[in-house]
Amino acid sequence: DQLNVAAAATVVIWPLSCLKGLSALRYTSTCSIATILFTCLVVLLKTPSHFQSRDASFMQVLEHSRFNSSSFQVLSMACFAFMTHTNSPEIALRFTGGPSSARWVLAVQTLVLWAVYCGIAVCGYMSFLEDTKQDFLTNYDVQDKLIVMCRCLLSVTLVFACPLNMFPAVQALFNVLEAVRGKRPGQEPLYDMHHVRVPVSTLAFAITLGVALKSPHVADLITTISAYFSSPLMFAFPAIMYWKILRGTGMTLPVTLLSITAALWLAELSHFFI
């Protein structure tokens, strides 16, 4: 039952979301990395048998792959995936390995995740083609032990991912409240007050949970949010800043960024009318 699952998740996620910082969850990244690597391995192993059952060749799949308005959904979700890494500054602040070590870690992580996500995306689609669902794991047999393990590991990862992504949002909200409140010498920040931070964090968590319960198609929700909010942050606002800095000269880049934003908006609007 959906409500029972939500209640069980709340018991675990809500206390973690009310913590003061990310340091208490610094070791959970190992769980997420192991989960995505295991999921990728399972998908790769199951692709040959599922693709053979589709009675189609690789060249036929390539011939039927066409660029259309739905392709903008990929870019929208990429924008969303980038914008959700708002916890990166605090993680970087607490990194003690030095600049050279940080660059090495970032390069290795980027290459590994790029390979893993590409493998899951391509092989997941090749396994089910046009029958691929938004939650592609639901395409597999529900009694498949490896898939059950993937779903369990992903569920654990999401439990830790929720507070990790909520911290920056709550901190940003408190920064706004502090600006409205005004600073006084020796005044304790609102974020450091447990009797203020916990209720605000609880309200933010409740809103997030309510939206999740009312949105069964998560990919559609992410695309809509990212098209109207993430894309302006990534493309439109930088374009305006470039235009201000360049003072009307060299308009190629600003126009290109604004065109991408407009294309994402129009592509998303088309889903409501087509």
Side-chain angles (χ1 to χ4, degrees):
D1 181 73
Q2 190 180 43
L3 292 178
N4 290 333
V5 172
T10 300
V11 172
V12 179
I13 297 174
W14 173 70
L16 296 176
S17 301
C18 295
L19 295 175
K20 188 177 179 179
L22 294 172
S23 58
L25 299 174
R26 60 185 179 274
Y27 298 113
T28 60
S29 59
T30 304
C31 176
S32 60
I33 294 173
T35 297
I36 198 65
L37 290 176
F38 179 76
T39 302
C40 180
L41 179 62
V42 171
V43 172
L44 290 175
L45 291 175
K46 292 186 173 295
T47 298
S49 60
H50 282 87
F51 184 68
Q52 289 179 357
S53 66
R54 307 304 296 183
D55 193 23
S57 65
F58 183 73
M59 292 305 299
Q60 289 176 328
V61 175
L62 290 180
E63 291 174 357
H64 285 84
S65 299
R66 294 289 185 271
F67 182 87
N68 51 43
S69 61
S70 298
S71 302
F72 286 99
Q73 187 178 32
V74 178
L75 182 57
S76 294
M77 296 186 72
C79 294
F80 179 85
F82 180 82
M83 294 302 298
T84 54
H85 287 76
T86 50
N87 51 22
S88 298
E90 183 171 350
I91 295 174
L93 181 64
R94 297 179 182 276
F95 187 79
T96 59
S100 59
S101 180
R103 286 192 291 269
W104 170 252
V105 170
L106 180 62
V108 172
Q109 179 193 34
T110 301
L111 290 174
V112 170
L113 291 180
W114 182 84
V116 167
Y117 286 129
C118 283
I120 292 176
V122 174
C123 294
Y125 175 74
M126 294 293 290
S127 298
F128 305 103
L129 301 180
E130 65 277 1
D131 295 328
T132 305
K133 300 177 182 179
Q134 292 183 1
D135 182 359
F136 76 97
L137 289 179
T138 59
N139 283 100
Y140 296 96
D141 185 3
V142 294
Q143 296 182 344
D144 190 310
K145 294 182 179 179
L146 290 177
I147 298 300
V148 171
M149 289 179 63
C150 288
R151 296 183 71 87
C152 290
L153 289 173
L154 287 170
S155 298
V156 173
T157 300
L158 289 175
V159 166
F160 295 122
C162 288
L164 284 173
N165 288 317
M166 278 189 62
F167 280 131
V170 173
Q171 288 174 338
L173 176 59
F174 273 99
N175 289 336
V176 174
L177 295 176
E178 289 287 0
V180 176
R181 177 194 185 195
K183 292 184 178 180
R184 298 177 182 177
Q187 191 176 43
E188 184 180 7
L190 291 174
Y191 189 76
D192 294 340
M193 300 179 184
H194 296 292
H195 64 280
V196 177
R197 186 184 69 256
V198 172
V200 173
S201 300
T202 302
L203 177 61
F205 174 77
I207 294 174
T208 304
L209 180 62
V211 172
L213 291 175
K214 293 295 183 179
S215 305
H217 302 293
V218 64
D220 292 338
L221 174 65
I222 290 175
T223 305
T224 302
I225 293 174
S226 58
Y228 292 113
F229 295 100
S230 299
S231 56
L233 290 173
M234 287 192 64
F235 302 120
F237 291 167
I240 295 172
M241 288 188 286
Y242 274 117
W243 179 73
K244 291 290 186 181
I245 294 172
L246 297 175
R247 298 182 182 279
T249 61
M251 294 298 295
T252 302
L253 182 58
V255 170
T256 301
L257 294 175
L258 290 174
S259 299
I260 294 174
T261 303
L264 291 175
W265 285 354
L266 291 174
E268 186 60 29
L269 282 173
S270 66
H271 289 292
F272 295 102
F273 300 104
I274 299 177

